[in-house]
Amino acid sequence: MPDAQAAHESTITGILPALAGISCVYGAGMLEMGMSLSIEQLLIDNDIISMIKQATRGIAVSEETLALSVIRDVGAGNNFLAHKNTRDNIDYPSDPMLFDRKMYGDWAAAGSKDIVAVAHEKGIEILNNYNAEPIDGDILKDMRAIVAECDKKFK
C-alpha cells in the first residue's frame, strides 16, 4: 500500500512535465517501478492528475474571481478567509475527491485519516457501488470482430 510520501512525490513529478506541455500521464497507481498496482495509489494519483490538469488550464480572470468588491468590503489586512466569496470559490483551483482541506483541528476531530486511508475507503466504496455503463452494441460488435481477427492470426 502507498504512503503519504508517495502522494507528495506524485505531485512533484507530475507538475513539471504538465507545465512543459505533456498530454499523457503514465504510471498512475503503480508502485515498485510498475511491478505492483495499488487501487489507493491510483485514486491518489487521479486526484493529483486532476489538480495538475486544472492548474495547467490557467486561472480565469473575471469580476467574480478578481472579487474587487470583496477586497473593498473586507479591506486590506483583514480576514478574507471567512468571507462568503472565498467559501464559494475555495474549490475553484481544484476540487479534489480525496485530499482533505479541513483545518487541522477539524481533520483531527474527524478521525485524523491520512490520504491512504481515505483512498482505501473510497476504493472500497467504488468497488461496492460502481455500475459500468454497457458498451454500445455497434462498438462491441466491432471490438469482437477485431479480437476474432487477431485470434485467427495467433492460432
Side-chain angles (χ1 to χ4, degrees), residues 13-26 49 52-53 56:
T13 58
I15 192 72
L16 295 177
L19 292 173
I22 61 131
S23 61
C24 179
V25 176
Y26 168 78
I49 292 165
I52 289 171
K53 285 173 67 176
T56 60

Side-chain angles (χ1 to χ4, degrees), residues 83-101:
H83 196 277
K84 181 178 180 342
N85 181 273
T86 302
R87 292 191 315 273
D88 289 346
N89 291 292
I90 194 75
D91 288 327
Y92 169 73
S94 65
D95 190 13
M97 175 176 62
L98 303 176
F99 286 96
D100 190 342
R101 292 192 171 140

Side-chain angles (χ1 to χ4, degrees), residues 41-127:
Q41 187 66 52
L42 180 62
L43 291 168
I44 292 167
D45 289 345
N46 179 65
D47 242 18
I48 292 168
I49 292 165
S50 296
M51 289 186 281
I52 289 171
K53 285 173 67 176
Q54 179 64 34
T56 60
R57 284 193 281 272
I59 299 170
V61 177
S62 67
E63 290 294 323
E64 183 181 355
T65 61
L66 286 176
L68 294 176
S69 61
V70 174
I71 294 169
R72 282 194 275 295
D73 290 347
V74 174
N78 292 316
N79 183 357
F80 288 88
L81 294 177
H83 196 277
K84 181 178 180 342
N85 181 273
T86 302
R87 292 191 315 273
D88 289 346
N89 291 292
I90 194 75
D91 288 327
Y92 169 73
S94 65
D95 190 13
M97 175 176 62
L98 303 176
F99 286 96
D100 190 342
R101 292 192 171 140
K102 292 184 186 97
M103 297 300 288
Y104 181 83
D106 295 333
W107 172 77
S112 308
K113 292 179 193 165
D114 68 19
I115 189 65
V116 178
V118 173
H120 181 76
E121 289 175 3
K122 184 65 176 178
I124 296 296
E125 176 190 327
I126 291 169
L127 290 171

